[in-house]
Amino acid sequence: MTSRVAIIEDSSVARMLLSSLLTAGHYDVSVGASSETDALLELPPDAVLLGPGVEDAVALIPAIRTKTGASAPPILVLSRDTAPAQRLAALQAGATEVLRYPIDAGHFLARLRSVIRSAEPFRELRRRRVASMQFGFAESAATFERQKRLVLVSENAEPSMIDWPDLPGVRQERCGRREVLSADAQTRQVEAFVLDWSGTFSTAPVRQLLPELRARVHTRHAGIVVLHDPDDDLAAVQALDNGATDAVPLDVAREEIALRLERVLALKGVKDTLRRSTEASVELAVRDSLTGLYNRRYAEAYLADLVSDRAADQAFALMIADIDHFKAINDTYGHAVGDMVLRKVADQLCQQTRAVDLVARLGGEEFLIVLAESNLAQARHAADRLRNRVGRSPIKLDDGSEVAVTVSLGLSMGDARMIERLRGERRLTAPAIGLGDGILSDLISRADRALYRAKALGRNQVQVAV
């Protein structure tokens, strides 16, 4: 989707130049003078560009933020005066970025891409919160915030940035490139890295650290700030286009460095919140709300991956456990007790299986247990252990009485050879195992038939599929 940029500029020549540059960059552009600001912002753009001809851009910034409200877009200020004090005044007023005019086109477009990209997590978090409130969901309680870690990475014992600011709640450290990439560093969470690309320290290995940090699991979500020489626009472009959160010239004021680092840490916090929200949503989608076990949807996806990953000599076991006489329990004691029985049995099954095994609720009183690497003797022993554990643990009710509970289990074994045999019977040639090709249904049906035989033979026993 094309990003929309509103250009506010009082010089017709500058308006034309900026509009042409952004149009060539495939942006949707709206243009107007500062007197037309309200009209330009009727439909909130993805970014606002204040041109060099706006007489008092700093005073206009708060008005733009007020007009656009909670969905305030990033604001880029182009100015012929980018002295540290003027830059800081614009940033403190609410500008997202301040760039020198006349602009370097490559640097300008890299900055624009970066600020639009960084603004999206804030908008997404706001959308999710609004949607949650509309559904009546309470906002998550605030959690304890540990001290954040900020690591300055420099091959020089005395880094170029001399006037380094202190930030409340942030622990600052210095280390070299090799330390950051060491195995020990993987166990320590870092909120942001600052990479020194200035002067003689801007070597190829130092610059290669940026994509390395973005590629590694333990650092890919951290904020990354690159320090570069004031006139080295190319370094800023390379940093931003390779995944840096911000690129900061070394001639900025100490207060600007602090402000930028605070914004980088805030962005990291918002992204972390979004990831946790997504993970929680996925967890809700794949968990059974009553027992806390994985549900059938997850179990089938898990089995599909397990089956497709089997080596020829790696067997796995699949069991279906069914609570005996569960309807009678519900009819005699009520559904509240029935729910208690389901939860207790689920807990007992989990307690008697390994962390690498899967226990899922298929629905009703049926459970699926998958032992990823197990031969028949091991699986049979595990099934008997599960049956005995449940049968020897009656459910205690509030009135002191007990409900005897037993389970019947159907056990089937699988390996790559068996899968290929089933595939051959179905004349399937695709290498991947999918939920729709019938193979998984066959695997579950084999265990289900063994379960029915266990029921027919008197319940509270294990039967193996033949």
Side-chain angles (χ1 to χ4, degrees), residues 245-307:
T245 316
D246 199 359
V248 183
L250 290 175
D251 61 347
V252 301
R254 183 173 187 266
E255 293 82 2
E256 180 175 337
I257 284 284
L259 182 60
R260 287 179 176 274
L261 290 176
E262 287 170 352
R263 290 180 177 180
V264 167
L265 293 172
L267 176 60
K268 169 67 163 57
V270 167
K271 288 182 175 180
D272 287 346
T273 299
L274 287 174
R275 271 193 301 277
R276 287 193 297 268
S277 172
T278 300
E279 290 166 0
S281 298
V282 171
E283 190 75 1
L284 286 172
V286 300
R287 289 283 184 181
D288 172 57
S289 59
L290 177 63
T291 63
L293 299 178
Y294 286 112
N295 58 23
R296 185 179 189 120
R297 177 190 302 169
Y298 178 88
E300 289 178 337
Y302 174 92
L303 272 174
D305 182 69
L306 174 69
V307 168

Side-chain angles (χ1 to χ4, degrees), residues 44-64:
D46 296 296
V48 174
L49 181 61
L50 293 182
V54 177
E55 187 172 342
D56 193 356
V58 173
L60 188 56
I61 293 169
I64 294 174

Side-chain angles (χ1 to χ4, degrees), residues 194-207:
V194 179
L195 310 183
D196 189 353
W197 282 17
S198 63
T200 58
F201 307 110
S202 183
T203 61
V206 170
R207 295 202 176 200

